[in-house]
Amino acid sequence: MSSVEGAKVLRARGLRVEFGLPGGRVARAVDGVDLDVAPGEIVALAGESGCGKTTLARTLMGLERPSGGTVSFGDVPLRFSSRALKAYRRQVQLVLQDPTGALNPRHTVYEAVAEGLRIHGIGEDEPGRVAEALARAGLRPPERFFLAYPHELSGGQRQRVVIAGALVLEPSILVADEPVASLDASVRGEILSLLLRLKEDAGLGALVITHDLGLAWSIADRIAIMYLGRIVEQGPVERVLTAPRHPYTRALVSVLPDSPVREPIVLAGELPDAAEVPAGCRFRPRCQEVASGRAAAVLDRCEGEDPARLGPESAHLVACHLDAAMPARMAG
Amino acid sequence: MTESTPSEGDPAEGPEDATTANGPATRPSDLATPADGASTEAPSARRPAGRRGRVSSGFGRYVAKHVGGAAVSLLLVLFSSFFIFRLIAGDPIDQLTRERPVSPEERAAMRAELGLDEPMWRQFWDYITGTLTMDLGDSFQYRRPIFDLIVERLPATLLLSGTGMVLAVLLGFWIGARTGWRQGSRFDRGHVATGLVLYSAPTFWLGMIVILVFARYLGLFPVNGMRSPSTPPDFWSQAVDIGHHLVLPVLTYTAVVYAGYLMIMRSSILDELGGDYLTTARAKGLRDDEVRRRHAVPNALLPTVTLVFLALGSVVNGSIITETVFSWPGLGRLFVQSIFYPDRPVLQALFVLFSSSTILAVLCAEILYWFIDPRMRRSG
């Protein structure tokens, strides 16, 4: 399932996105990310607000230009000519967090879903394709929704319309940025099971961005934990969440119910400014292992040496000097 | 749906609702309530029927509400026009006779001739009934029916401010949409700066500069007026001549007002810029300028509809200053002449005309919103 071979894999290699700030400072929103999303798998990308998840998603969509590294789809690097982007966006589609904002309030459901077809010049059987996409997104019977406006639908129905608008182009990969964060708990489950069903039935691949580890647990095959623009731990979701190895992941997992980490760990301080990424290990200023002295043996490395970027392999990988030094302790 | 709505909703609901104007019309049989409640949950099986019923009854009530509001405004304008000009103008006989000595008998005769000897309530009643039946009385200065004066001058005003307004709105919106889309670019800053400089220039000053440069020094256009006496009377010669006279006033008028539309459109676009639906459209593969044209501009136009109708309403007011600077024989110039004379009945009538054209234009905008903004149909 997590095979990296295959023509329709979305790949990020050494991806960096920087924004110039007033005063000549540079914010490193995404700072060296390797990530693969293949059809038929759901990858969760988790982390605090402000860690660069959304920038990463926008960059994967070609909405933001990377300052370094590459995005490629099916081994073809993404180019930013409007023709190349258009072709790319037939294969990779975006679902945003807030369905109310993501739909043009003056377009009917039919227009919203058919827009993708019109953009890409797919003329034949437009009503049939729109109806099929709505049905696949769980809006049945689809014809009843054709002339509805977004304000006439519930939040869950709106998100289904957004998903239908993405599905109508039959993409290989869906990038979903917090797809259920703005929805009621009861609707959340429906949308998640919809994503799972699309994966099982249609072989759709998805990158689901979330700050909710419980959500990642329920739908994802693999998970990547992002901290301050860098992926600090990744691997199969059951491995990462039941045996977290990076101190940051352990802190995130520790506050979940039934956590494998016994004591809740409350991180000190705020997420640092992306314009001032700490030297050495970027997590060191907030690391509970450093604070408690357990990392004393590797402290000079934590302070002076940036842990190596994680590769894109699907194995369980951790960017932590302490973990590298004492794998046995953490794993146990 | 759009076509069936007025024919269905207007006669059935309009008159009935109009009588209870703004009151909370409680009608238990109203289809609107159940359909509204259901629509937030799901567009269920009874959707087509419910929606149709909701549209017609909702539209009747919506129109009645706004027509009622406009009628109240019009009445207020009518009343206040009568009193305002009586308060500020003083005794018209004094002003009409200031050049020559007159005996009390002559004064009384003039008073009777102008209808000023009647009691105030009588004058008021004549004014109200007269205005409502298009009998606006006679002008003091011209001794002719005001209605004729207005009809004579209206085409000139409509020509000047109509042309100027259409140009200003088109130009302002066209540039505004592009500056907003590229906020902070050199294009944006250049156009905003130019527009605001012209916007803040006094019309009479700009008008005089324009006359100096284009009429006096370059000699390209006539200095003032609407037509030359020497032009042959056939249609095409007249049309070309009027067009030739029209250029400078329209240029002045457009230059001064277009920046207002530019700024409104620009900020309206800026409001839309953050919209996720633009990101969605982009992510579906739409090119950037198509995103602007298909999504951002139509939605940004929505809040400007009122503005456009206000502009259409104020076309009747014309531009008082532009008409004065260029000696354009329109309503604005009539207004200025009447102030100096002072010709109270004309001022009164023009005041009502200017205000009511704006009120009616806004009413049209409100009704139009029903059709162009789907969200209105629920809250209306």
Side-chain angles (χ1 to χ4, degrees):
Chain A
M1 181 170 289
S2 54
S3 124
V4 189
E5 272 69 49
K8 295 187 166 177
V9 179
L10 175 62
R11 287 207 172 91
R13 287 291 177 274
L15 202 60
R16 286 189 295 112
V17 184
E18 294 171 352
F19 296 109
L21 298 179
R25 299 187 308 153
V26 173
R28 287 186 276 166
V30 177
D31 190 17
V33 165
D34 291 354
L35 193 67
D36 282 346
V37 184
E41 71 167 347
I42 295 183
V43 179
L45 181 68
E48 283 168 280
S49 305
C51 72
K53 293 173 297 188
T54 297
T55 308
L56 178 58
R58 290 179 58 87
T59 313
L60 289 177
M61 289 304 305
L63 294 167
E64 214 74 68
R65 272 181 195 246
S67 341
T70 56
V71 176
S72 64
F73 179 75
D75 294 326
V76 182
L78 178 59
R79 285 172 303 118
F80 288 86
S81 71
S82 54
R83 175 183 298 211
L85 280 176
K86 190 169 159 181
Y88 173 70
R89 286 167 182 167
R90 217 187 139 166
Q91 295 291 338
V92 181
Q93 281 285 318
L94 178 68
V95 173
L96 289 169
Q97 169 176 359
D98 172 20
T100 310
L103 293 169
N104 187 330
R106 298 209 296 140
H107 286 195
T108 59
V109 167
Y110 182 88
E111 288 170 308
V113 177
E115 177 167 41
L117 295 174
R118 290 175 187 165
I119 292 169
H120 293 277
I122 304 169
E124 87 267 19
D125 192 24
E126 189 181 280
R129 284 170 190 264
V130 171
E132 193 202 323
L134 286 171
R136 281 174 71 195
L139 293 172
R140 293 196 185 85
E143 287 77 12
R144 189 176 294 158
F145 293 88
F146 275 6
L147 293 180
Y149 284 97
H151 71 259
E152 298 171 318
L153 304 176
S154 69
Q157 288 172 330
R158 281 178 212 161
Q159 191 61 297
R160 286 171 191 271
V161 173
V162 173
I163 292 174
L167 291 179
V168 75
L169 288 170
E170 295 170 1
S172 312
I173 306 285
L174 214 57
V175 175
D177 187 0
E178 306 265 12
V180 295
S182 65
L183 301 178
D184 289 344
S186 57
V187 184
R188 211 170 275 194
E190 295 172 28
I191 298 289
L192 294 179
S193 66
L194 169 65
L195 284 176
L196 276 177
R197 205 170 61 240
L198 291 170
K199 178 191 89 164
E200 301 294 339
D201 299 351
L204 190 72
L207 177 67
V208 176
I209 294 173
T210 178
H211 59 264
D212 179 353
L213 291 179
L215 184 155
W217 173 261
S218 23
I219 66 165
D221 302 301
R222 290 194 295 128
I223 186 168
I225 308 287
M226 196 163 176
Y227 181 80
L228 206 56
R230 182 76 63 89
I231 289 173
V232 294
E233 178 161 7
Q234 69 175 43
V237 71
E238 61 279 8
R239 295 273 304 279
V240 172
L241 293 185
T242 53
R245 283 157 56 190
H246 195 282
Y248 179 60
T249 319
R250 290 168 61 80
L252 293 182
V253 170
S254 72
V255 293
L256 296 179
D258 305 323
S259 164
V261 181
R262 276 179 296 277
E263 289 291 306
I265 303 164
V266 178
L267 291 176
E270 297 282 312
L271 188 67
D273 190 342
E276 287 157 17
V277 175
C281 172
R282 62 193 60 216
F283 185 59
R284 176 184 48 84
R286 297 172 76 191
C287 180
Q288 68 273 23
E289 306 294 340
V290 170
S292 68
R294 268 172 301 200
V298 289
L299 194 58
D300 53 332
R301 292 184 68 202
C302 293
E303 282 170 354
E305 190 184 327
D306 198 1
R309 226 171 66 203
L310 296 184
E313 298 86 44
S314 51
H316 189 174
L317 299 174
V318 185
C320 175
H321 294 304
L322 183 62
D323 180 75
M326 291 189 291
R329 192 199 73 87
M330 287 293 199
Chain B
M1 194 175 72
T2 312
E3 285 159 13
S4 75
T5 309
S7 58
E8 200 178 58
D10 231 4
E13 306 290 342
E16 186 201 336
D17 269 1
T19 53
T20 57
N22 293 325
T26 47
R27 286 182 299 158
S29 64
D30 203 326
L31 272 170
T33 321
D36 264 344
S39 79
T40 55
E41 288 309 311
S44 58
R46 60 202 162 103
R47 169 177 188 72
R51 189 180 161 84
R52 199 181 160 80
R54 193 173 78 220
V55 165
S56 60
S57 72
F59 183 71
R61 186 182 302 173
Y62 181 85
V63 167
K65 190 175 108 190
H66 286 97
V67 167
V72 170
S73 308
L74 278 175
L75 280 179
L76 285 176
V77 164
L78 209 55
F79 290 173
S80 55
S81 159
F82 180 82
F83 294 108
I84 285 176
F85 291 106
R86 266 168 183 71
L87 283 177
I88 59 177
D91 187 353
I93 302 299
D94 285 346
Q95 288 146 356
L96 292 174
T97 60
R98 72 196 135 188
E99 299 288 306
R100 57 207 158 91
V102 280
S103 65
E105 291 74 31
E106 279 176 309
R107 291 182 67 99
M110 285 181 78
R111 207 170 271 282
E113 187 196 338
L114 296 174
L116 297 174
D117 54 344
E118 307 215 35
M120 189 63 103
W121 67 265
R122 179 83 217 180
Q123 290 183 37
F124 183 68
W125 180 250
D126 288 347
Y127 158 76
I128 296 287
T129 51
T131 306
L132 292 179
T133 55
M134 288 293 158
D135 173 13
L136 302 172
D138 283 4
S139 152
F140 288 169
Q141 61 180 321
Y142 294 95
R143 302 294 167 102
R144 287 178 55 205
I146 296 171
F147 189 80
D148 295 354
L149 290 175
I150 290 180
V151 169
E152 267 167 28
R153 283 162 176 77
L154 192 59
T157 289
L158 292 184
L159 186 64
L160 169 57
S161 16
T163 315
M165 191 62 81
V166 168
L167 283 179
V169 168
L170 291 180
L171 189 71
F173 281 3
W174 193 84
I175 299 176
R178 277 159 184 76
T179 55
W181 197 247
R182 306 238 167 284
Q183 188 198 10
S185 66
R186 198 176 296 169
F187 180 83
D188 178 34
R189 282 176 298 171
H191 272 292
V192 169
T194 315
L196 288 183
V197 165
L198 290 172
Y199 192 69
S200 50
T203 310
F204 71 89
W205 177 82
L206 193 68
M208 290 191 306
I209 300 284
V210 164
I211 289 175
L212 274 178
V213 173
F214 291 97
R216 285 259 187 269
Y217 293 147
L218 298 178
L220 294 175
F221 298 100
V223 173
N224 59 23
M226 190 164 109
R227 57 185 98 197
S228 315
S230 57
T231 310
D234 66 290
F235 176 78
W236 286 112
S237 308
Q238 286 288 332
V240 169
D241 187 42
I242 291 176
H244 197 213
H245 280 83
L246 191 63
V247 173
L248 291 188
V250 165
L251 180 72
T252 308
Y253 184 71
T254 306
V256 172
V257 296
Y258 88 96
Y261 301 99
L262 187 160
M263 295 310 287
I264 297 280
M265 187 63 189
R266 181 174 176 274
S267 73
S268 188
I269 283 277
L270 289 179
D271 280 347
E272 299 295 327
L273 271 191
D276 278 347
Y277 68 91
L278 298 180
T279 308
T280 309
R282 250 181 229 121
K284 281 181 184 170
L286 213 54
R287 282 208 325 271
D288 193 60
D289 53 337
E290 289 175 318
V291 175
R292 185 189 70 224
R293 217 176 54 234
R294 289 199 208 169
H295 288 274
V297 169
N299 288 5
L301 278 175
L302 198 62
T304 65
V305 167
T306 309
L307 195 75
V308 170
F309 274 83
L310 273 176
L312 289 181
S314 65
V315 161
V316 178
N317 314 10
S319 169
I320 292 172
I321 299 175
T322 313
E323 287 189 8
T324 308
V325 171
F326 288 91
S327 307
W328 193 262
L331 291 177
R333 197 142 156 264
L334 178 65
F335 195 71
V336 172
Q337 286 167 349
S338 306
I339 288 175
F340 286 124
Y341 189 72
D343 195 344
R344 193 172 69 196
V346 173
L347 290 176
Q348 219 166 252
L350 287 177
F351 182 80
V352 172
L353 176 70
F354 292 169
S355 307
S356 50
S357 65
T358 301
I359 292 171
L360 290 178
V362 172
L363 176 66
C364 291
E366 299 285 1
I367 292 173
L368 189 65
Y369 267 118
W370 178 273
F371 296 102
I372 58 178
D373 188 354
R375 287 167 292 189
M376 278 289 181
R377 288 170 216 159
R378 191 172 62 164
S379 57

